[in-house]
Amino acid sequence: MLVERMDIMQNKRDKIMDAALELFAERGFNATTVPTIALNAEVGAGTIYRYFEHKEALVNAVFQRCVESLSHHLQENYPSDSGIREQFRHLFFKVVGFARDHVYAFSFLESQSNAHYLDSKSIDVFQEMMDFFYQFLEEGKKVNVIRSVPTEALFAIVYGAYVEIAKLLRKKILPESDQLMNSLEACCWDAVRV
């Protein structure tokens, strides 16, 4: 009975977080109200406060879940024993795939990474993910495969491309084909390689 109750509570918490993610991604944090989240989650507004102390606690929980999901996705089958070129290819297709398969999470992360209401745990989780990218770029620079420019600039070049490619694919402006995706990945690689 206790396990069943815990499952119900977890399901309700997940429904709240899923509803909040969709609204935060579409409307932003400030334009999203707790009653609207409750309506979309099909729970009472008071129920949300049983799981989250306030809206900031909810947005931080959603943010952390999204970052952890993307981090796991990136590191899944990461070719750590391969060369920089193969690792770049892996990261490109993982980010673009995540953006395609997790539209709200990707959109939310893109718009929230510097938000004033993120708590220290959210900032730490995000920084850990960024360190993974930065370490890859630093290693590429060290072995003279990636251009020797500031790592933050390299990241901005590639991640900016990821974001725009994801938007174009989502809007069906670009047709998603293997040939096109391979060409886009090669273009991004050409932008940072030596």
Side-chain angles (χ1 to χ4, degrees):
M1 188 69 162
L2 179 61
V3 172
E4 187 177 308
R5 179 163 163 67
M6 289 176 66
D7 286 345
I8 291 169
M9 290 175 64
Q10 184 61 44
N11 288 341
K12 199 170 281 193
R13 186 177 195 278
D14 288 342
K15 280 181 71 171
I16 292 166
M17 290 179 69
D18 291 344
L21 170 60
E22 185 176 336
L23 290 165
F24 290 149
E26 289 178 344
R27 300 178 180 189
F29 174 77
N30 292 326
T32 300
T33 65
V34 170
T36 306
I37 295 168
L39 183 65
N40 280 22
E42 299 176 343
V43 300
T47 302
I48 291 177
Y49 294 110
R50 283 191 226 150
Y51 296 91
F52 304 97
E53 187 176 346
H54 40 66
K55 189 168 85 166
E56 288 81 3
L58 174 56
V59 77
N60 276 280
V62 170
F63 183 82
Q64 291 164 26
R65 184 175 73 169
C66 290
V67 170
E68 289 165 357
S69 178
L70 176 55
S71 292
H72 175 74
H73 190 73
L74 293 172
Q75 294 177 37
E76 184 178 36
N77 300 319
Y78 183 72
S80 55
D81 295 334
S82 298
I84 298 296
R85 177 66 181 101
E86 188 56 37
Q87 291 170 357
F88 181 90
R89 184 173 175 74
H90 171 88
L91 292 173
F92 174 88
F93 283 105
K94 285 292 192 171
V95 170
V96 171
F98 185 87
R100 179 194 60 233
D101 298 339
H102 306 277
V103 173
Y104 291 125
F106 191 77
S107 176
F108 174 69
L109 286 176
E110 178 201 345
S111 64
Q112 303 302 314
S113 61
N114 293 314
H116 64 87
Y117 43 76
L118 293 180
D119 62 22
S120 60
K121 183 176 179 188
S122 290
I123 292 167
D124 289 347
V125 168
F126 184 74
Q127 189 57 52
E128 189 176 313
M129 182 182 69
M130 294 301 293
D131 289 346
F132 179 74
F133 281 113
Y134 284 13
Q135 184 178 4
F136 160 76
L137 292 167
E138 287 293 329
E139 183 60 33
K141 291 193 306 186
K142 191 185 310 178
V143 297
N144 200 32
V145 175
I146 291 181
R147 297 177 193 272
S148 185
V149 298
T151 302
E152 295 80 5
L154 290 168
F155 181 78
I157 290 166
V158 176
Y159 193 74
Y162 292 163
V163 169
E164 291 305 313
I165 289 167
K167 286 179 186 175
L168 294 172
L169 290 170
R170 186 171 58 243
K171 293 177 182 177
K172 308 253 188 259
I173 294 170
L174 290 178
E176 189 170 349
S177 70
D178 289 345
Q179 181 180 3
L180 176 63
M181 296 310 293
N182 286 324
S183 294
L184 293 173
E185 186 273 339
C187 289
C188 289
W189 173 246
D190 286 344
V192 298
R193 72 178 175 90
V194 172

